[in-house]
Structure formats: structure tokens, C-alpha cells
Amino acid sequence: MSFPILSVMLAIPALAAIGCLFLSPSGARWLALVATLADFVLGVALWASFDIGGPQWQFVENAGSIGVFSWKLGIDGFALMLIMLSVFLMPICIGASWVAIEKRVQEYMAAFLVTEVLMIGTFAAQDLLLFYIFFEAGLIPMYLIIGIWGGANRIYASYKFFLYTLLGSLLMLVAMLWMIQYAGTTDIPTLLQTDFPVHAQTWLWLAFFASFAVKMPMWPVHTWLPDAHVQAPTAGSVILAGVLLKLGGYGFLRFLVPMFPEASAQFTWLILGLSAVAVIYASLVALVQSDMKKLIAYSSVAHMAIVTIGLFAFNRLGIEGAMIVMLSHGLVSGALFLCVGVIYDRLHTREIDRYGGLAINMPRYALLFLFFTMASIGLPGTSGFVGEFLSLGGTYQVSTTITLLCTTGIILGAAYMLYLYRRVVFGDLTKDDVRAMPDLSLREIALLAPIAAVVLWMGVYPESFLAPMRSDVGTLVARVARAKPAGDSLPKAGTGIVPAAHAEAHK
Amino acid sequence: MHSITFIVFLPLVAAIVAGFSNKSFGAAFPKAVTTGALFLACALSWPVFIHYLSGGDTLPVVTVLKFIQSGTMSVDWALRQDSLTAVMLVVVTSVSALVHLYSWGYMSDDPDQPRFFAYLSLFTFAMLMLVTADNLVQMFFGWEGVGLASYLLIGFWFKKPTANAAAIKAFVVNRVGDLGFMLGIFGTYLVFNTVSIPEILHAAPGMAGSTIGFLGYRFDTMTVLCLLLFVGACGKSAQLGLHTWLPDAMEGPTPVSALIHAATMVTAGVFMVCRLSPMFEASPFALSVVMTVGAATCFFAATCGLVQTDIKRVIAYSTCSQLGYMFFAAGCGAYGAAMFHLFTHAFFKALLFLGAGSVIHAMHHEQDMRYYGGLRKSIPVTFWAMMAGTLAITGVGIPGILGLPQVGFAGFHSKDAIIEVAFASGQTGTWLVGVIVALLTSFYSWRLMFLTFWGRPRWEQSEHIQHAVHDAHGHGDHADDHGHAAHAHDDHAHGHDAHGDGTAGYHPHESPLPILIPLIVLSVGAVFAGWAFHSYFIEPTSGETYWHGAIAFREHLMHAMHEVPVWVKLSASIAMLLGLFSAWYAYIRNPALPAAVAEQFSVIYDFLLHKWYFDELYDKIFVKPAFALGRLFWHRGDEQTIDRFGPNGSAWLVSLGSRAAGKLQTGYLYTYAFVMLIGLTAAMTWAITR
């Protein structure tokens, strides 16, 4: 067996988390930063040595099993990209908490490091129960981060977060146990090949859906997200939007669609319908928010709906688009939460109306915030466009109506983001405390600039990100091909004869 | 390296350098870099155009980088340089270079010049990416890129609430069009399995007569695709229904209006229809929609232009109206004529805007024509430049009858061709609209000239001028001779002028050279561009040679255009003369007439003044309901339904045991975490011991 890089990536933050508890606050900060950077470097090595077009599962490690449970890790292209997202955002989160967190710093850093372990573990697990443990345990540190280091109403927010996720988790556990009974294995690659009976798929699908839809979050089980974001500290929001929300999408991609293709096809319209509602509903709600974090939280709901429609288009365009939306949203909304954090640290309010005219005294901030605003709107040249475009393009082949409804998101998205930007950054500088706010510090630039660079890279040359996933998308598309519904827009062959002038279109 | 690579990427590099240049360098460095880059790009563009004028072969497509690869969706960053692109290259780089130069003078007092020049160059880059696109996705990139630059430049003076509102409006309304464009790309990809423009155009005729599903119904394939794409064109080119952003966009600095909202960006829709003309050729229904929308816009905008008092808004509506002309030419199948008008219009409309900017500069930021008058002598260069622009837009020239050579100003060649082609293609109604609008065009254009340059000065009523006079006095330059007069004026009631000549003691000055040079160069274009280039764009044989398959060129239609009856050829010129005469009568001969007419027909006047009430209507049916629905969903949906029966309901159930919900204290936090852990432990135990 070669170098167990995945286990090492799990071990480093795990050990650092224990170490943090025994250090001084500043020692804990530095240890956390070094550990997360080390994981990032390993992540880059992982990506560099990933064999594109090679076997589906790479870097496989199997440390043997106890009972039905086994420590088995391994990644495919989807997991690789999401692990990259996690290890990229983690050092940024530590940096964002550098001065903003003052109480119980050691435990805070430990909580973040544990989150990192669990996120990487979730994406790398090849054993169903191992996955479940990472997946569910991942919520505990997040839950504590909101509950301990959060805002004034943090208890309600963490409580809501807990309640929402609990029910889904229990249902999913039961479904998993049934699957293990039926298939006689917990090995995920084997389960991916297993054809579950169609009638059972429906129930299994619904149980998994209950869990993943909440994480996503899909309308109408999204209301925990705005509260959680509003109450979470800045870095908590970044990791929540950047990585935790991707657990839902990953769950759809890894389990729901390939394991239950018939049920997925059967529920396609449920997903497409809920997503279309989510885009319009969440965008309109975002339009009327007066709290910056809530606005971005609702925009997340709208963006994640673009992920679900892409996935349930069951074609290459849609699935690749969905993955790019996930990666892009992780970066862009993470960066937007950082942007909010920057001014929150200075004025200690998230009220949009308290700001205005920041372009005058914070020009660097205005530029970066504008860039991420445009990326969120999906301007071509940024990552947001590539994802949205592919995802909606894939959906068009299934349903033009759903595509039309979801594409209104590009209008509404522009409206709420530009309205936000205008109120915060444009206008005249009339308030003295706002005027006194200094521009970005070097630390803040060091947090935002790398994200901007990656967003631009993904927007101009997405091939780097699409290539590792290409063969996995092919596998997934082939898996669901037998069940996927026909599109409503398929063209019929033409006659090649231009109809007479002013012919009726309705024929 | 091909020259096209430099043409496109020089402005981008310049924008980046200027945008990130250190403030301590001062403004001269970023200004010099961007302007220099643009003149260089312009110098490289003309040879490409000349290459095609002299009958050269189509130049190769330069591939820069892979963009998106997803299954059969294969997109490259690539630069196409056919004869259609060549027209746009010279238009974009020439006007942009001149506008950069102009801005040295116009923006010289602005503290944010590096940002302004960086935006201008960024815009130029995006526009060049649009016109060189070899696939629909890159075209969309440029499309959105110019939208971004337009947003930033309209809102350039971001302290002004009106400028911010206009910027957002421009972006959001354009996004409505973009929705159509995006769906059009999706549909095109679905049908042709490619987004490469040459491949689509090659396959388009074969799809005629096929059907496609859309929104649950089945329609003619090419009609659906063309109309979806045309919605995008309507947004960018401000056609009726999606035009509301263009007049508001005048909040931006005047050089921006000239470059973006007259010469280049707003013509992107026309360019798109021409670029995809073989697709439109496959759907006569879509073409007739293009023609109808174009004609309607043409008429609508011209009527609004009749009553506006802001000099820039008159020109904005004029632009909107001229874009309508281009669309109805395209709708008639005369894509060459549409591109020809786009070409000449770029010169004379940029000239009119920059001229207006020079007037505004001379009149100390006053934009209301009611407070102009008699400026002919004070700013003669600007006057003659504006005159050239007006002669061009109204289409002054000698019709080619009675054996006379057909010679005239730029608009004469292009606009008259459109009107004639409408007749030649059998669209008599559209032809009539074209003639009526020619009359209206002539009227509002001459009205602008007469109000601004003729008559007695009416400057003393302008607050801007009053400020200027006071400031001058305050600085003590002519404190003794004019200061007293100004005070006297201030102490008395308004409308009385101490000088008795309506000038309030103000002396307008001709603009500096950086402003005048672009005016002179563009004047040359406005005078000669039509005469010099008409054969390449619209003559049957030489046109065919020039276009070389870059657009669908209906040779027989061009023949027919030249063979319309004499009275048709004269119609546009007669309309122009009628417009000139009525403007002269109403604003020179009998200046009391307009007010009397406005009062007599106050309903019509208000209707036109409020721009057919589009803004009010949209506010009522789109903007207000969107906010109301947002609030409804938020409070009634999320808070009072989902939360109430979801988490809060279960919280209430849970708290029944502990009797009070208020007891949800910090201690509980650990309890919940503990519960989660127990669940996990139980699951693990089960797994391990089995």
C-alpha cells in the first residue's frame, strides 16, 4: 500500500485539534493555521497526483474491518474537488477568526479543525457507516460554533439547526441499515453497483432525501439556514456556506441518484418543482432583507436550487454544471460572508442601512466586494456563470418550463445583489462612524484575494475543474440512463423548406 | 501572433494597468496607457477592414484557450475576424479611441479619472470579445461584459442616487433580455448539438420546417430559437418594452453615452441579428417580428424625442429610434443595410453626443435646452460639428434621380436605403412608418439645433449658470464689473436679467483641443462615411463581394431597392424637409407656438413627456409586486407557516415537558450535542458488535 495520504489529511487536523486545547490562544491560532495549510498542501499534492481518466476510485486505503464497519477511504473526481474546496477554505476561516474571536480561542480552533477532519472524512469515506458517522458528526462542531461563538440569538439558531437535521438523519440511518441488510455490505462502491428493488427504492430515496434536502437546503426546509448564518461568526458562515451545504449536494450525487435511479426518475418532478419554487421564492425574499447575512443566506437557497435541477437533469451538462455551481457557490458565498465580516468587525452591525458610501473610504474593499457580487450574479468570466450556464443548459433538455422559471434567477439575482451593493458601497458617505472605517488590512486582502483568483480561474478556464470529474460524470449518467425521463423539448427533423412568409408559428 | 490578438487584448491589459496603477503616479499615467492602447488597437483594426474592402479572403479564426468542455458542448476562447467583425472592429476601436481622447478634456476635473479610463478600456475589451466571438457562449461573455462596464459607467458618479438607480435599472432590464439570450443558446445547443456559430449557421437552413417543444407546446424550431435570441437583442439594443433603461443611462458621463449608449454597445443586438442572419432567414415569422418591433421602437422613441428638454435625452431617444431603423432593415432581410446604418450611425451619433457634451461643458453642466439659445457664436467649432451630425442624421443629400449622382451626408445613404428597402420588400406599412419617422427625426434634430444654437440666450434661468457666475465672482476674477451685475440680478426677482440679454453675464467658452479633435474627426465621418462606403455595404455586386458570406446577403433585394419608383426615393428627403421646415417655424419663426400646441393637446403632450408611461407601468406591475411578494413570502411563508408549524412547533412540543420555552438556555446546547453523540455512538456500537 502506498502513502496513506487521505488518512494523513485526517490525522493532521485531528492531532492539531487536540494540541490546540493545550496551548495559549495565540499558540492555538498558529497551530490551527499551520495544520490547515499543511492539509491544503497535501490537498494540492492529491489533486496533482490524481490520475485523470484512471480508475474511478483512487488513493484507496483499507485498514480492515470490525464487524460490518470498516475504515475504508478513497476518492473519485467529485470527492477530490470537494476536498479541495474544504482544504482551501479552512486556512481562510482560521485567518478570518484571527482577531474576531476573543473568547475560548483554543476550543474554537479545535472545533474548526475537527470540522475539517469530518468534512474530509465525509467526502473520502468508502464505507456507508463511516460516511454516516462523519456526515452526522460534522454537524456537532458546527452546532457548537454557532451556539458558543454566535450572535445574540444563537441558542434559537443552533436549536433550529439541530431540530431540522435530526429527523432527516434518523430516517437516513434506518434506510442505511436496511440497505446493509439487503446488500450484505457497507462498501460504497459495491452498493453503487447494487440494483435495489424498485418499490424499496422509493422508501429509501425518501429517507435519504429527508436528510440531504435539509442540508442542501431545499425549499421548504430551508428556514434554518438564514438563522444559522445570521448567528454564526464569520468563519462559521464561510464553512457553513462553503462546505456544509455541499454535503447535501454530495449526498444527492453519491447516493440518491446512482443508488436509486428508478426512484430518482420517479421523483424528478418533485425536485424540479421544489427547485423552481426555491429560486423565485428565495430570490424575492432576499430582495427585501435588511440584514446582509440573511440576504446572502437566502441567495444561497436560490443558488443551491440550481444545483438540484442540474443533478436531476440526468445529463452530462446538468451534472457537471451542478458540481461547478457547488464549487463556485462555496467560494463566492464564502467570500461574500467574509466581505460582510470585514465591515461587521468594524461597525458591529449587519444592518444594510447603517452603511453607505464605502467606495469612498474603502476602495479596495469596494473592488473585491464588486467582484464577488458579480460572481454571485453569474457574470461570464467568473465561476458562477460556468456552473449556472451548464446546469440550466442541461435542464433545458429535460424541461423548458423549469428552465425558464429558474433562469429568472439571473434577473432576480442581479436585482438583490446590486441593490445590496448599492446600499452598502455606493451613495455618499454621510455617517461619521462609517467614514472612520479603514480600508482592508493586509490580512483581509490575503483572505479575499486567493478566493478571487480561484473564482476567476474557474470562470475563464473551468477545464481544470471539469477534467477530473469527467469520467465520473460519465459513470453516473450511464447509471441513470435506463430510468431518465425524456425531455419535453426534443426537436423533430426539419423539411429544409423555409415556410411561406408570415406563416403562423403555432403549427 | 495575429494583429487581432493585440486589438482585443491591448484594451484589457490597459484597463488592468490603469485600474491597479498606484494613485501616487497621478492620473496622467493611466490616461496615457489606456488612450495609447486604444489608438494602437484602432491603428491595427483599420488594416483588417481595408483587407476586406479590397476583396481579401476571410482571415483565420485565432484560438486563444479552451473555455468550456462538457460533452458535446465545446467552447473555445477564439477570435473571429470576418468582414462583419471588421466593420465592428473599426467602429468600436475608432469611436473608443476618440472618446478616450475626448475624456482627457471632458473629465479633467474629476478626481477618479484612473477608474474612469480603466472602465472605458474594460468596456472596449468586452465589446471586442463580443464582436469577435466564434461561438454563442463567448458572445454572451462579451454581452455581459459590456453590460458590466455599462453598469459601472452609468453609476460612475456613485454619490448620486439617480445615477445608482439608473445603473441598476440598466443591468436588471438587460438581464431580462439575457434570459432570452440564454434560453436561446440552450435551445440552439439542443437542436444543433453545438454552440459554434459557423456550424449553427451552416445547419440552420436544414432545420426549417421542423418543430420543437417549448413550455409544453410545439412550435417551429427556428422561430422559437430566433425569437428567444431576439429577446436578448431587444434588451441590449433598447427595443420597445426593454428600452426603459436607455434614457436613464444618460446619468453617466457624456463620453460614456457617446461610446456605449450610442455607437457601440446598444448596437450589439443589431450585430447579433446580422451575425445570425442565416438563422433568421430560416424563419420568416421571426423576421417579421424583428421588423415590427423595430418599426414600433423607431416610431415610439421618435415621438418621445419630440418633447424632451434634456439635450442628452433627446439624443438618447434618437438613438433608440435609429436602432429601430436598423432592426426593421434586418427584419426586411436587408442585413447589409442594417449594418450600414449601424456603421454611419456610430459616427454621427457619437458626434452628436460628444458635441452635446461640449455644449454642456461650455454651459457649466446645464443640460436643459430651455436654458440654452444663441450659442452659435460662442462655440463655433462645436456648432459646426453638431451641424454636420444633424445633417447626417436627418439624411440630407441629393437623391439619385434625373441622372444626378447620389451624394449626401452619412445618414442619407444609410437611412434612405432602409426606407427604400422596406418598400422594395413589399412592406408598405413599414415603409410608411419609416417615412413618418424620418420627418420626426428631422423635427427633433433641428429642434435641438434651434433651441441650442439659435435664438436669444435664455441662460439666466439656469441654476448651473447662476452658480457659475457667482463662483466666478467669488473667486474675484471680474469682481468689479460683473460682480455687481450678478448681485443685482440675484437681489431681484427671477427672470429679470441685469444685462438685459439673457446671458446673466456668463461667457461660454469653446472646449479645449482634446474635445475638439474628436469632434472634427467624427465630423469627417458623418460627412463622408455614407458616400465612401455605401457600395461595399449595400450595392448588389460589390456588397456580395465584401460580405463574402459573413451575413445573409439578399442580392435581388438590393437590386430591387435601387429600382423603387422615384417618388419613393424622394419620400425620405421630402419628409426631412417637412421636418426641418416645421422645426424652423415652431422654434425660430413663431417661438410661442410649441407652448400653445402643448397646452392645446395636453393629453398627448403629457403622454409623450412621460414616455408613454412605461416606467410608471413597470413600477406598478413588476417592481412593487416583487417587493411585496418578497415580504409576503418572508413573513407569511417562512415565519408564520414553515417555522411556526416546523421547528417552532416541535420546540413547543419539546418544551411541554419542561413547561417553558424560555428555558432554552445555554446548558441545553450541550444536551443537544450530547444527544447527537449518543445517536452516533449507538450506531457505531451496532455496527461493530454485529
Side-chain angles (χ1 to χ4, degrees), chain A residues 172-402:
Chain A
M172 187 169 79
L173 181 64
V174 174
M176 281 182 168
L177 296 178
W178 191 92
M179 284 163 70
I180 296 167
Q181 293 284 14
Y182 179 86
T185 179
T186 55
D187 186 50
I188 290 176
T190 315
L191 286 168
L192 284 170
Q193 309 291 329
T194 310
D195 292 324
F196 291 98
V198 174
H199 67 275
Q201 278 190 22
T202 307
W203 296 106
L204 294 171
W205 191 94
L206 284 172
F208 274 74
F209 177 69
S211 179
F212 297 140
V214 169
K215 300 288 184 316
M216 196 87 201
M218 289 181 72
W219 188 86
V221 288
H222 64 281
T223 63
W224 63 273
L225 186 71
D227 284 309
H229 270 310
V230 164
Q231 299 303 329
T234 300
S237 289
V238 174
I239 221 62
L240 186 59
V243 188
L244 280 174
L245 295 191
K246 308 302 167 287
L247 292 180
Y250 180 72
F252 279 123
L253 202 66
R254 172 69 71 235
F255 299 97
L256 211 59
V257 176
M259 288 187 186
F260 321 123
E262 278 81 13
S264 295
Q266 184 188 337
F267 285 114
T268 301
W269 289 100
L270 174 72
I271 298 272
L272 295 183
L274 289 179
S275 303
V277 171
V279 169
I280 295 169
Y281 183 106
S283 299
L284 288 173
V285 175
L287 195 60
V288 296
Q289 295 305 311
S290 56
D291 180 309
M292 284 188 262
K293 273 188 151 182
K294 259 197 171 164
L295 193 154
I296 300 168
Y298 275 108
S299 86
S300 291
V301 178
H303 282 123
M304 296 319 278
I306 305 292
V307 174
T308 43
I309 55 164
L311 286 177
F312 280 78
F314 302 130
N315 53 38
R316 179 174 285 278
L317 229 52
I319 293 167
E320 290 187 346
M323 269 307 290
I324 296 287
V325 174
M326 281 208 264
L327 298 175
S328 163
H329 174 265
L331 296 167
V332 173
S333 68
L336 286 172
F337 280 119
L338 284 174
C339 285
V340 174
V342 163
I343 51 177
Y344 181 79
D345 287 347
R346 287 161 172 68
L347 211 59
H348 299 286
T349 176
R350 294 177 311 266
E351 276 299 306
I352 296 169
D353 292 341
R354 285 285 289 111
Y355 296 92
L358 291 185
I360 300 166
N361 58 337
M362 300 177 72
R364 289 195 201 124
Y365 175 76
L367 178 68
L368 278 165
F369 191 16
L370 176 74
F371 179 80
F372 292 118
T373 298
M374 286 300 159
S376 174
I377 290 172
L379 196 80
T382 67
S383 55
F385 168 72
V386 179
E388 265 182 20
F389 178 77
L390 290 177
S391 185
L392 291 165
T395 311
Y396 189 93
Q397 311 199 354
V398 177
S399 166
T400 46
T401 315
I402 294 290

Side-chain angles (χ1 to χ4, degrees), chain B residues 195-241:
Chain B
V195 287
S196 154
I197 291 172
E199 289 175 30
I200 293 167
L201 299 188
H202 181 73
M207 288 310 292
S210 66
T211 63
I212 190 174
F214 189 69
L215 305 182
Y217 298 91
R218 291 200 78 84
F219 300 104
D220 179 69
T221 304
M222 295 316 293
T223 303
V224 170
L225 299 183
C226 291
L227 289 183
L228 284 173
L229 293 166
F230 180 61
V231 171
C234 283
K236 197 105 295 181
S237 294
Q239 293 302 287
L240 192 62

